């Protein structure tokens, strides 16, 4: 029997996922706190180059404190922010699969959600772990082919309507969805939005809010 995932949310898009064979950290950005203390990571994965997904001030120390971790990023982040930091990086491209620690990572999507027709967004890579045990879409609403067990659900953003998040949750139909990308919402906004995601979840999906920095088994 597969061990349950152990997930820790460090705010906004930053999530630590422990599969039982790998410790994977996603999108340690400027709105997230507490991730800088992590050790023994197998990989640090960046979906795209926006600052709320990669904090260039804290990333070098995190990489230095985790010498066994593979840094993975989309092509634009790798060529710009990470190259400027002189860090070794594996470039993630759509359709590729990587083995990180003991986990498989399938790179999906490739495009950031539309922010505005007049604004050109950067590329965005989504990451599907172990055939669907967890999916971090970054800033996209891409629906992967795999059946997803736990979804990191973008909950609030300048590029997102709540109705779009509801439809994305319905399209993926995970067993559990956990809200991420929530720092742009006020406390009242979170309460209203969580209510919508809960009431309008597809049958069989549990919408579960994680406490900041507290491990949860899913």
């Amino acid at each position: 029997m597969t061990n349950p995932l152990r997930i820790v949310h460090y705010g906004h898009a930053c999530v630590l996922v422990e599969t039982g064979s790998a410790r994977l950290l996603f999108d340690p950005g400027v709105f997230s706190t507490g991730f800088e203390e992590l050790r023994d990571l197998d990989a640090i994965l960046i979906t795209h180059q926006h600052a709320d997904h990669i904090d260039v001030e804290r990333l070098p120390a995190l990489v230095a404190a985790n010498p066994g971790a593979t840094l993975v990023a989309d092509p634009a982040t790798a060529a710009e922010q990470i190259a400027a930091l002189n860090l070794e990086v594996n470039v993630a491209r759509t359709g590729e699969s990587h083995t990180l620690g003991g986990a498989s990572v399938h790179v999906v999507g490739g495009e950031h959600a539309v922010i505005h027709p007049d604004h050109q967004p950067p590329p965005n890579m989504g990451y599907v772990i172990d055939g669907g045990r967890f999916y971090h879409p970054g800033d996209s609403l891409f629906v992967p082919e795999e059946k997803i067990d736990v979804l990191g659900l973008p909950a609030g953003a300048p590029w997102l309507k709540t109705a779009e998040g509801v439809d994305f949750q319905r399209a993926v139909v995970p067993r559990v969805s956990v809200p991420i990308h929530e720092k742009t919402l006020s406390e009242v906004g979170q309460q209203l939005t969580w209510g919508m995601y809960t009431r309008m979840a597809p049958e069989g999906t549990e919408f579960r809010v994680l406490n900041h920095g507290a491990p949860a088994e899913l």
Side-chain angles (χ1 to χ4, degrees), residues 197-211:
Y197 286 134
T198 299
R199 292 192 303 273
M200 303 185 76
E203 184 177 355
T205 293
E206 175 191 359
F207 178 79
R208 187 187 303 185
V209 179
L210 302 184
N211 294 323

Side-chain angles (χ1 to χ4, degrees), residues 36-202:
E36 54 270 74
E37 304 301 325
L38 291 173
R39 301 294 183 267
D40 300 320
L41 296 173
D42 292 293
I44 301 164
L45 300 102
I46 311 296
T47 60
H48 67 287
Q49 62 185 156
H50 286 155
D52 54 335
H53 296 258
I54 174 173
D55 185 339
V56 296
E57 297 296 328
R58 288 183 287 173
L59 183 62
L62 179 67
V63 170
N66 290 273
T70 301
L71 181 59
V72 179
D74 65 280
T77 303
E80 297 176 29
Q81 284 93 335
I82 295 177
L85 297 172
N86 292 315
L87 297 175
E88 183 176 346
V89 61
N90 285 11
V91 179
R93 295 181 174 85
T94 303
E96 293 181 344
S97 293
H98 300 255
T99 299
L100 302 170
S104 66
V105 178
H106 183 209
V107 184
V108 300
E111 297 182 0
H112 192 288
V114 174
I115 299 171
H116 187 276
D118 292 343
H119 179 81
Q120 180 61 45
N124 179 102
M125 302 297 148
Y127 300 110
V128 177
I129 309 306
D130 285 344
R133 292 183 68 194
F134 178 76
Y135 175 36
H136 194 305
D139 281 9
S140 78
L141 300 174
F142 180 82
V143 179
E145 295 181 354
E146 295 92 339
K147 171 63 179 172
I148 302 302
D149 189 53
V150 180
L151 169 67
L153 174 65
W159 50 268
L160 179 71
K161 292 195 303 183
T162 302
E164 294 173 325
V166 168
D167 288 344
F168 180 55
Q169 184 177 234
R170 288 178 170 180
V172 176
V173 198
R175 178 180 60 86
V176 179
S177 65
V178 297
I180 61 174
H181 214 287
E182 83 294 349
K183 288 293 187 177
T184 58
L185 298 174
S186 67
E187 182 178 347
V188 172
Q190 288 186 25
Q191 292 175 358
L192 294 172
T193 303
W194 299 169
M196 285 193 65
Y197 286 134
T198 299
R199 292 192 303 273
M200 303 185 76

